[in-house]
Amino acid sequence: LRLALADGRATGEVLQRFLALDAVAYMKPFMKLKMFRDRLLADNTFLNKVAIEVVIGGAMQLIAEYQNRGKAFVKEFDFVIAGIATCVLANFFTLYLAAPTLVPKAASLTTSAVAKFFNSCPDNAFQTVLKGMPAPSFVQRCGGIFKPMPELFFIGLVAASGGYLYTACNVAVRKFFNPKSQGGADLDALQIGKIGVAVGAYVAISSNLRYQFMAGVLEQRVLDTLLAGQVSLRTAGSTVIRTANTYLGSYLLVAYLR
């Protein structure tokens, strides 16, 4: 933050926000971590949204697992835990990468032209900008849409492949000890790889666009403007929006994989 203030990437208002947040006891540990600090400076309810995503994502996945497994729910609870963990991790990193930030990343002298361009792009294509800070151009905002795609693809690939690989190994172990054991999908490495690539592409495109629009437009530009200073109402509004997004995302993913 000191470097950002020194080279003009941050303004006095950003420093004021930092001091106000750092003065709150439970915020101090998060303000020491850059990954949280950058997003809390842009949105002081970011931690609320993380909690919303974790709770809603976990609850929706739990309901889906119960509906799919029925009477075998308890017996196959290890599969359930793997599914919930995969969902929660994917939701968290999508929320994190699509969240607005205030301080642009500093590019090193050895950075390529492409990397310098994406460093200059906002983390959220639709986010607002504080007075006194340079507004991103239309091209930079377009770049903000593509900026998180490689990381999101990797997250989707790892989350899906890891989840299915765990399930496949678990099924194999169960059948080894009990040939009559049922439950779980019998998938080979090629099928798991294809599903991983498909989910990675879905997260990089569909989830990326939905989360950026939700955070930059519906929350920052609409809720934060209409309910400025009313944290509880903003959190309630975010809960409704993010619940709807979770339902929509689940429906689109099932339709896409089919």
Side-chain angles (χ1 to χ4, degrees):
L1 183 57
R2 289 195 194 97
L3 290 174
L5 288 166
D7 61 21
R9 287 181 293 115
T11 63
E13 186 175 346
V14 175
L15 178 60
Q16 290 175 357
R17 290 189 178 198
F18 172 81
L19 294 174
L21 288 167
D22 195 53
V24 181
Y26 72 88
M27 286 286 193
K28 270 186 175 294
F30 295 101
M31 296 306 291
K32 292 178 181 179
L33 300 172
K34 190 178 185 302
M35 63 179 290
F36 285 106
R37 181 176 65 242
D38 288 351
R39 283 148 183 83
L40 284 167
L41 288 173
D43 178 10
N44 60 3
T45 64
F46 176 70
L47 294 181
N48 296 8
K49 290 166 184 174
V50 170
I52 291 168
E53 282 291 333
V54 170
V55 172
I56 290 176
M60 293 299 103
Q61 185 65 27
L62 180 64
I63 292 170
E65 293 283 355
Y66 181 77
Q67 290 175 338
N68 287 334
R69 300 184 188 280
K71 295 180 180 179
F73 179 79
V74 176
K75 187 178 179 181
E76 298 176 359
F77 198 66
D78 49 347
F79 292 125
V80 174
I81 295 298
I84 292 174
T86 300
C87 174
V88 168
L89 286 173
N91 281 10
F92 169 76
F93 282 107
T94 308
L95 160 70
Y96 168 76
L97 290 171
T101 59
L102 286 182
V103 183
K105 294 181 178 68
S108 66
L109 295 175
T110 57
T111 303
S112 67
V114 174
K116 286 181 180 178
F117 168 72
F118 280 112
N119 276 336
S120 73
C121 296
D123 286 306
N124 184 292
F126 308 101
Q127 70 180 63
T128 58
V129 180
L130 289 179
K131 290 182 179 179
M133 295 185 70
S137 66
F138 176 75
V139 173
Q140 287 174 317
R141 287 193 180 276
C142 290
I145 293 175
F146 295 95
K147 184 177 181 178
M149 281 187 173
E151 292 170 290
L152 287 172
F153 175 81
F154 179 74
I155 289 165
L157 172 67
V158 171
S161 299
Y164 278 103
L165 182 61
Y166 169 83
T167 300
C169 292
N170 207 342
V171 168
V173 170
R174 287 184 179 212
K175 288 184 177 179
F176 177 80
F177 288 104
N178 181 11
K180 296 181 180 180
S181 177
Q182 296 180 345
D186 189 11
L187 301 173
D188 59 31
L190 181 59
Q191 289 174 305
I192 292 174
K194 286 181 178 179
I195 292 172
V197 170
V199 173
Y202 171 83
V203 173
I205 299 171
S206 176
S207 297
N208 177 32
L209 291 173
R210 284 186 292 104
Y211 273 81
Q212 289 214 36
F213 181 80
M214 178 173 61
V217 178
L218 298 181
E219 290 180 332
Q220 193 176 56
R221 291 184 180 273
V222 178
L223 285 183
D224 290 2
T225 301
L226 296 177
L227 303 173
Q230 302 181 59
V231 176
S232 58
L233 289 179
R234 284 164 59 196
T235 300
S238 290
T239 302
V240 173
I241 291 171
R242 290 181 179 276
T243 301
N245 178 60
T246 300
Y247 273 113
L248 177 60
S250 299
Y251 173 80
L252 291 175
L253 179 58
V254 171
Y256 168 68
L257 291 177
R258 281 178 177 172

